[in-house]
Amino acid sequence: MTTDARRTAGDGLVVDTASGPVRGVDDGNVKVWKGIRFAAPPAGELRWRPPEPPQRWTEPMDASRVGPVCPQPTDPRIPIDLGAPQGDDCLSLNVWAASGIEPGADKPVLVWVHGGAYVLGSSAQPLYHGRALARDGDAVIVTVNYRLGALGFLDLSAFDDTFATNLGLRDVLAALQWVRENIAGFGGDPDRVTVFGESAGAGIITTLLASPAAAGLFGAAIAQSSPATSIYDRERSRRVAALFADRLGLQPGETDRLATAPTSALLAASKHVFDNIPVRTPGTLAFAPIIDEDVVPAHPVQLARDGRTHPVPLIIGTNKHEAALFRWMKSPLMPITPKAIRAMFAEIAAEQPDLRLPDEQQIRAAYRGRGKTIGMGVARDIGFRMPSVWFAEGHREVAPVYLYRFDFATPMLRMLRLGAAHATELPYVWGNLVAGPKDPTFKLGGLKAGKAVSARMRRRWLNFAVDGTPAGSSGDPVWRPYRAGDRATLIIDAQDRVVDDLDADLRSAWGDQVLSFR
């Protein structure tokens, strides 16, 4: 389609939202509306407050470009393309729909919550471009921004009880409310919304599954590599806030400075605390959802085990070699070394003396044959696999759960000793397999197999959005719900297969108690 033709098509793509009309663009296959505000810019007096509705506009807003990325520190070890410059006016979302979908078409909706350890990432990342998922017209795709780092997850209530908690979570809730009120105009069904996300985004999803504030905002969920147990109580969150205030040079009674402090100073303090916390206390994050007895009433995994999560179908799973990415980046976010692992267990034992920690011999037996890489297995399972299994064990009592493990890796990733590392499933879910001519992922081959893996994953994810059942195509193995009798698990690889009780040894070693920091 020529530029002039695209512009002409775009001129008719006006959708009226609750805040004002937006004009998207159509490439002949997929329509897209980008950078739609769902909340006012969280700046000045709104910086540490819950999201508020944006100021209404009357003329059609140009929705052909993504909005600003939420402020975040950059890290040369993580050279991701955020897709846009940073800025305060960042609470926006993007919508994709096949060209033939009209308002009122009642298509299922998939709402993406990006990952990034609660400190980085955006809805505008090219990896999350929704064209491939939306192209066949099976669902409307939405990607959302939320506040990050200290700006989204710092608990300042000890300094002043007027400061709101869990701002990043509240942003996602506001985006989901926007979807409920507006998505019909884009062809989506507000009563068939599936939230999906990875890493921190998946952690937000497992947290919202246990949040009363999320009731009725989604009818299904997909959690990819959720750090479901990385949720902390007020005591820990206030210690983090004290470190942040100290780094910022904030004195008692100076909380008014937080509204006017330069964003750059806040990001510098945020990065210092983020880097420092997992070194001081291996296995913990500086910024994460907290139990505020408001948005988050208690530990989500415990609420799942108590049968108190929202009764919606859930896909949940992890990657086979989660920890390999953190080893490759030399990141302290996961405790991989024996010293870090011992420190983590010692801290948990000190916090919770009545908690029965797993027996060292059982742990070694579960990881027999791993040699020097035992730490990689322990880090993977305490950080991602066991929290996902623990959550699945509880949530299956209130709704169908489908457990998976992603094992596929290209020859290049295997050569680099990354394998199916953390986040490597993302291009397959989105159908965005090749990032450009210099993309090394498929340099040694694997693209044909990768395209087949991607097609199967997208079909299952989209079918799940339709009716809560992740059916594949004809000939694909039937992915059964995760039940006590067989604990069926889908292994996603060059050839998918369903295995009964894949994690039996791990469950035996780690036990039924939920191991986490408070």
Side-chain angles (χ1 to χ4, degrees):
M1 180 179 286
T2 66
T3 301
D4 288 341
R6 188 181 300 114
R7 185 180 298 115
T8 300
D11 285 345
L13 292 172
V14 176
V15 176
D16 195 21
T17 74
S19 298
V22 293
R23 176 182 288 115
V25 293
D26 188 345
D27 68 4
N29 292 299
V30 173
K31 300 180 286 189
V32 61
W33 297 262
K34 299 178 180 178
I36 305 173
R37 292 186 187 91
F38 65 83
E45 293 301 319
L46 296 182
R47 177 179 268 169
W48 308 101
R49 303 291 184 242
E52 294 191 0
Q55 185 174 359
R56 181 168 171 79
W57 60 90
T58 55
E59 293 299 316
M61 186 195 83
D62 178 13
S64 63
R65 300 182 184 86
V66 294
V69 170
C70 285
Q72 57 195 273
T74 55
D75 188 334
R77 296 173 301 177
I78 313 175
I80 63 173
D81 181 356
L82 293 173
Q86 299 183 30
D88 286 330
D89 190 7
C90 66
L91 296 185
S92 65
L93 51 77
N94 312 301
V95 181
W96 282 267
S99 295
I101 293 179
E102 299 296 333
D106 287 338
K107 290 288 184 176
V109 183
L110 279 161
V111 180
W112 176 252
V113 185
H114 70 79
Y118 300 107
V119 297
L120 61 103
S122 86
S123 67
Q125 290 174 237
L127 178 60
Y128 308 140
H129 192 285
R131 188 178 189 278
L133 267 182
R135 183 172 49 217
D136 293 335
D138 296 314
V140 174
I141 311 300
V142 181
T143 61
V144 306
N145 279 343
Y146 58 94
R147 278 172 280 183
L148 301 164
L151 292 165
F153 295 94
L154 188 68
D155 178 15
L156 295 168
S157 59
F159 298 96
D160 186 333
D161 60 11
T162 64
F163 286 111
T165 54
N166 287 314
L167 293 172
L169 289 181
R170 295 176 193 270
D171 293 341
V172 175
L173 287 166
L176 289 171
Q177 186 63 47
W178 183 97
V179 168
R180 181 152 193 83
E181 295 173 356
N182 296 283
I183 204 63
F186 299 85
D189 183 350
D191 292 321
R192 280 196 297 168
V193 173
T194 296
V195 288
F196 71 134
E198 183 266 346
S199 195
I204 286 175
I205 286 166
T206 49
T207 301
L208 292 184
L209 279 165
S211 172
L217 293 180
F218 54 87
I222 303 172
Q224 302 167 204
S225 302
S226 171
T229 52
S230 294
I231 312 293
Y232 308 124
D233 64 14
R234 298 300 280 270
E235 182 179 345
R236 182 177 296 276
S237 69
R238 286 172 174 174
R239 291 201 299 269
V240 172
L243 287 174
F244 180 85
D246 182 66
R247 185 69 180 181
L248 201 61
L250 192 69
Q251 301 299 321
E254 293 185 336
T255 54
D256 58 316
R257 283 180 50 201
L258 289 166
T260 57
T263 301
S264 59
L266 298 175
L267 293 182
S270 181
K271 186 177 189 307
H272 172 81
V273 174
F274 175 78
D275 291 341
N276 184 264
I277 288 293
V279 174
R280 293 172 56 152
T281 312
T284 63
L285 298 171
F287 305 110
I290 68 161
I291 298 169
D292 60 1
E293 300 178 358
D294 180 12
V295 176
V296 187
H299 281 280
V301 175
Q302 190 57 56
L303 289 173
R305 289 162 67 91
D306 292 342
R308 295 169 58 193
T309 40
H310 297 304
V312 303
L314 170 67
I315 290 175
I316 189 168
T318 62
N319 295 356
K320 186 176 182 180
H321 307 110
E322 294 278 3
L325 177 68
F326 300 92
R327 177 191 62 187
W328 184 69
M329 294 192 308
K330 297 180 171 59
S331 168
L333 283 182
M334 295 196 76
I336 293 171
T337 66
K339 180 180 178 181
I341 291 171
R342 284 194 297 270
M344 176 185 66
F345 281 121
E347 179 79 8
I348 293 174
E351 280 187 358
Q352 304 166 68
D354 296 332
L355 189 67
R356 181 175 58 82
L357 293 175
D359 179 83
E360 185 174 344
Q361 288 185 340
Q362 286 180 302
I363 290 289
R364 289 190 176 277
Y367 299 97
R368 59 183 174 274
R370 295 187 65 94
K372 294 182 179 180
T373 63
I374 185 173
M376 297 280 287
V378 171
R380 173 198 65 195
D381 296 331
I382 192 66
F384 296 105
R385 188 63 187 178
M386 289 311 301
S388 294
V389 170
W390 287 326
F391 199 98
E393 292 278 340
H395 191 74
R396 72 181 183 196
E397 300 299 327
V398 299
V401 171
Y402 298 89
L403 186 68
Y404 76 87
R405 193 181 74 190
F406 182 83
D407 285 17
F408 182 76
T410 65
M412 175 61 80
L413 291 179
R414 292 197 297 270
M415 189 191 77
L416 293 173
R417 297 177 61 215
L418 284 167
H422 188 66
T424 55
E425 89 286 5
L426 289 172
Y428 301 90
V429 169
W430 285 93
N432 298 325
L433 293 190
V434 181
K438 296 182 180 180
D439 185 343
T441 309
F442 298 100
K443 189 174 183 180
L444 298 180
L447 182 57
K448 182 178 179 180
K451 287 182 176 179
V453 170
S454 177
R456 292 196 304 272
M457 288 192 77
R458 283 181 285 137
R459 177 50 44 211
R460 290 190 186 277
W461 266 226
L462 287 165
N463 281 342
F464 183 71
V466 171
D467 63 6
T469 303
S473 299
S474 176
D476 291 338
V478 175
W479 188 359
R480 305 188 309 276
Y482 184 83
R483 298 186 178 115
D486 55 10
R487 291 184 168 86
T489 303
L490 177 70
I491 295 181
I492 301 171
D493 206 338
Q495 296 295 325
D496 292 350
R497 63 191 193 276
V498 175
V499 176
D500 288 350
D501 209 357
L502 175 68
D503 302 294
D505 290 345
L506 294 181
R507 288 189 302 102
S508 176
W510 288 97
D512 292 331
Q513 294 183 103
V514 176
L515 300 184
S516 65
F517 288 92
R518 293 199 181 280

